[in-house]
Amino acid sequence: MRILSVTFLVFSEILISSQDEVINNRRFPESFKFGVATSAFQIEGAWNEDGKGESMWDRFLHNNSSKTLDRRNADVACDSYHKWREDVQLLKELGVKIYRFSISWPRILPDGTTNKINQAGVDYYLNLLKELKANNIEPLVTLYHWDLPQHLSELGGWLNPQIVDYFGEFARLSFRLFGDYVRQWTTVNEPKTACLLGYANDYGAPGLWLVADGVYQCAKIQLLAHAKAWHIYDDEFRASQGGKIGFVLDTPWNEPASDSDLDREAAEREMQFGFGWFANPVFIGDWPQVMKDRIANRSKLEGLGFSRLPEFTQKEIDYINGTHDYIGLNIYTGKLVEYLPDYEIGTPNYNFDNGNNVYCDPSWPASSSDWLFYYPSSIRKLVNYVNEKYSPEEIFIAENGWADHGEIDDQSRIRYHKGYLSNLLDAILEDGVNVVGYTAWSFMDNFGWGAGYTHRFGFISVDHDSPNRTRTWKSSGRYYQKVIRTRCLVDTCVD
Ligand code: NOJ
């Protein structure tokens, strides 16, 4: 009788926990690292305190409040610069094994150069790292999560090749100062989105409309900067510190809208323009062939004597190729891709170079953000794709999360993480993909770039109207806490 009822419970849970989905009821491997993610600009605040320099995002938002939906900026954000102790206690209560956060470059180097080191900024990160260690939480540290020092932005930012050296210096200093506490580093977070947001339009800092060419220059320079940091770590720190270093790429899972060859080809091209753009140089060497061919061809038809996609020298290809110890993936949603005939020649543009119709299926449940839909198999399909095509040593899901308007009883977020984690578990256990960890976006509600504070991603709610930035647990936080404790997504798991 007991066995029968347990069996019934197990099955009912698998089948009923969500109307149309089957949730995997096996356990995540012991070694799997559950965690949460944030970034400096989005949570720290204290934008000009204790010697911190100005970042290009500070300037961008101070110059024009209409850059965010709610006209608010990140001067205070979640005030984590002051509330870090409380935040580590929340992380501890959540039970995370790993915490992904970023270092604000201008907080430790006010003008971005090693000309002046801001000791108060260094102490902030040292204190945080020590507190994490004391609570048995591993750090996963991102060097660049978009808050470029304003001075370097004025020098040309990610369009100036010399930034590669400046980034190298910042990276070396970070390895030297913090490396004893850090076993996993990320060089650059989402280089594609960083370049598209700030160098192909003005949704993000520095807000340059260089969609024909600047966006490709930015990509090349970010890749060289990533490689520089990787080599510095490899040559000077790996032996003594023994950590891993790689970058984090974002992409939706792009699926053909139909079975037609044209749509299949279009979906693969979409992956290459949005993901291979950065993954190929690092894992294979050089840009994806489809990008080289199409952009060179269109540039020629536009009357240019060279391609708008800047070529790599053989030396650069060799320098960038192989600069990985793992790959970090930020995956939130799926997209359907439909073939379109090539855009007419006339206006040079990254989007026309690629030229597909990309959309979300209207039947997928929508989040509060117009780009984010619930399509849980996207994560399983993506990790399989990345595994087959790029054979990374390890895959780490560096971000995955759901936007709503800030509900405390956030059932839609629970459904999202349950569905995506179930598919991730399938990828690990059924498909044999080596996914080693997951840092959900996000630990707490934070500043969402152009969205301001209008879309919330956190397991912990933050009251951005209270001077104290009061933190409150959401239902999803309690759910995730249990997932971490049991390594299991449903109430009754089998081993
Ligand atoms: C990816 C970015 O890394 C992060 O900064 C952002 O807030 C989330 N996506 C959600 O949009």
Side-chain angles (χ1 to χ4, degrees):
M1 182 59 205
R2 196 167 161 264
I3 292 176
L4 248 184
S5 65
V6 168
T7 314
F8 173 73
L9 235 182
V10 171
F11 273 96
S12 62
E13 185 120 32
I14 305 168
L15 298 174
I16 295 169
S17 63
S18 169
Q19 282 170 7
D20 47 357
E21 302 142 49
V22 175
I23 300 297
N24 192 323
N25 69 340
R26 292 174 66 194
R27 283 183 212 280
F28 278 83
E30 293 268 9
S31 57
F32 190 82
K33 293 176 184 171
F34 282 106
V36 285
T38 62
S39 86
F41 190 76
Q42 296 178 270
I43 65 162
E44 283 178 8
W47 78 278
N48 61 354
E49 274 182 56
D50 293 348
K52 176 184 169 289
E54 188 184 16
S55 76
M56 70 172 175
W57 267 93
D58 292 320
R59 177 70 64 94
F60 184 69
L61 298 173
H62 291 155
N63 275 353
N64 189 347
S65 60
S66 70
K67 292 298 176 195
T68 52
L69 288 179
D70 54 4
R71 306 183 78 90
R72 297 181 71 169
N73 61 35
D75 287 1
V76 181
C78 304
D79 201 22
S80 285
Y81 183 71
H82 297 110
K83 294 173 77 84
W84 57 276
R85 261 185 223 281
E86 182 186 327
D87 288 341
V88 175
Q89 281 319 299
L90 288 170
L91 288 168
K92 189 181 177 191
E93 194 178 338
L94 196 53
V96 297
K97 169 98 179 121
I98 191 160
Y99 175 47
R100 175 176 184 244
F101 66 94
S102 76
I103 294 175
S104 158
W105 186 345
R107 194 176 294 289
I108 65 169
L109 297 176
D111 71 357
T113 77
T114 44
N115 179 34
K116 182 171 179 272
I117 298 173
N118 180 32
Q119 193 55 44
V122 172
D123 290 345
Y124 172 69
Y125 294 110
L126 278 176
N127 287 335
L128 175 63
L129 286 164
K130 286 179 190 164
E131 189 77 358
L132 289 170
K133 189 175 177 182
N135 287 282
N136 271 320
I137 299 168
E138 278 178 39
L140 194 180
V141 180
T142 307
L143 289 171
Y144 185 68
H145 201 126
W146 308 358
D147 45 356
L148 189 69
Q150 173 62 21
H151 172 69
L152 296 185
S153 190
E154 283 165 19
L155 283 186
W158 293 105
L159 302 178
N160 177 355
Q162 214 181 19
I163 199 175
V164 173
D165 292 321
Y166 287 116
F167 185 67
E169 297 279 295
F170 164 55
R172 180 181 282 108
L173 181 71
S174 300
F175 302 147
R176 186 160 66 69
L177 292 170
F178 310 124
D180 284 347
Y181 295 92
V182 183
R183 289 294 159 270
Q184 195 169 350
W185 292 94
T186 295
T187 54
V188 178
N189 173 67
E190 298 197 355
K192 175 192 72 177
T193 298
C195 290
L196 283 170
L197 266 188
Y199 292 88
N201 61 60
D202 62 358
Y203 299 154
L208 302 174
W209 285 89
L210 303 172
V211 72
D213 37 30
V215 69
Y216 292 126
Q217 300 285 348
C218 171
K220 179 176 176 183
I221 293 172
Q222 290 217 350
L223 280 162
L224 286 165
H226 152 80
K228 179 101 189 177
W230 190 92
H231 282 291
I232 290 173
Y233 191 78
D234 198 48
D235 293 343
E236 302 171 30
F237 297 92
R238 190 188 294 282
S240 58
Q241 298 182 353
K244 292 180 179 163
I245 178 163
F247 63 0
V248 167
L249 302 185
D250 61 303
T251 183
W253 166 246
N254 293 302
E255 194 156 293
S258 79
D259 270 350
S260 76
D261 288 348
L262 282 177
D263 284 353
R264 283 175 186 282
E265 212 178 284
E268 174 55 17
R269 186 165 72 240
E270 192 66 28
M271 287 306 295
Q272 290 305 309
F273 263 78
F275 187 78
W277 187 11
F278 293 88
N280 277 47
V282 168
F283 283 88
I284 295 173
D286 208 352
W287 305 116
Q289 195 60 44
V290 67
M291 288 187 80
K292 292 209 296 187
D293 292 347
R294 285 179 72 91
I295 301 165
N297 184 39
R298 291 182 71 86
S299 303
K300 196 168 153 200
L301 294 171
E302 288 154 7
L304 262 190
F306 55 88
S307 175
R308 286 183 281 103
L309 180 68
E311 275 183 21
F312 286 120
T313 63
Q314 190 55 48
K315 211 171 148 201
E316 287 170 334
I317 290 176
D318 295 341
Y319 187 69
I320 296 172
N321 190 5
T323 54
H324 53 84
D325 301 330
Y326 71 94
I327 189 165
L329 300 178
N330 291 353
I331 158 87
Y332 286 81
T333 195
K335 291 273 161 77
L336 296 178
V337 185
E338 186 184 45
Y339 163 83
L340 285 183
D342 284 352
Y343 278 83
E344 273 177 33
I345 297 298
T347 316
N349 185 313
Y350 163 85
N351 297 302
F352 302 162
D353 290 338
N354 179 8
N356 293 311
N357 181 27
V358 182
Y359 59 97
C360 291
D361 190 318
S363 72
W364 298 342
S367 74
S368 65
S369 282
D370 55 5
W371 55 271
L372 206 182
F373 290 77
Y374 180 68
Y375 187 48
S377 64
S378 58
I379 199 168
R380 181 176 185 180
K381 291 171 183 166
L382 180 69
V383 297
N384 272 285
Y385 174 89
V386 170
N387 197 39
E388 275 158 34
K389 204 155 197 115
Y390 299 101
S391 311
E393 299 85 338
E394 291 176 351
I395 295 178
F396 194 101
I397 303 298
E399 285 181 34
N400 174 242
W402 183 248
D404 63 13
H405 290 299
E407 293 83 339
I408 294 292
D409 186 19
D410 52 344
Q411 294 300 322
S412 65
R413 180 164 294 102
I414 294 180
R415 179 193 190 192
Y416 178 92
H417 286 286
K418 191 188 274 185
Y420 276 67
L421 280 167
S422 174
N423 274 274
L424 193 63
L425 189 55
D426 289 342
I428 297 169
L429 299 181
E430 314 297 332
D431 312 335
V433 183
N434 189 24
V435 185
V436 299
Y438 176 93
T439 44
W441 189 270
S442 181
F443 173 29
M444 58 182 138
D445 292 342
N446 56 48
F447 177 77
W449 312 107
Y453 300 95
T454 56
H455 301 291
R456 309 294 180 111
F457 282 87
F459 288 132
I460 307 277
S461 156
V462 176
D463 179 356
H464 292 281
D465 294 323
S466 78
N468 195 27
R469 296 299 188 274
T470 311
R471 277 88 162 125
T472 307
W473 283 80
K474 298 185 193 175
S475 302
S476 62
R478 294 300 176 199
Y479 171 70
Y480 193 49
Q481 183 185 44
K482 192 164 168 203
V483 168
I484 299 175
R485 197 177 66 242
T486 57
R487 289 182 290 107
C488 161
L489 302 171
V490 289
D491 280 342
T492 315
C493 261
V494 294
D495 281 309

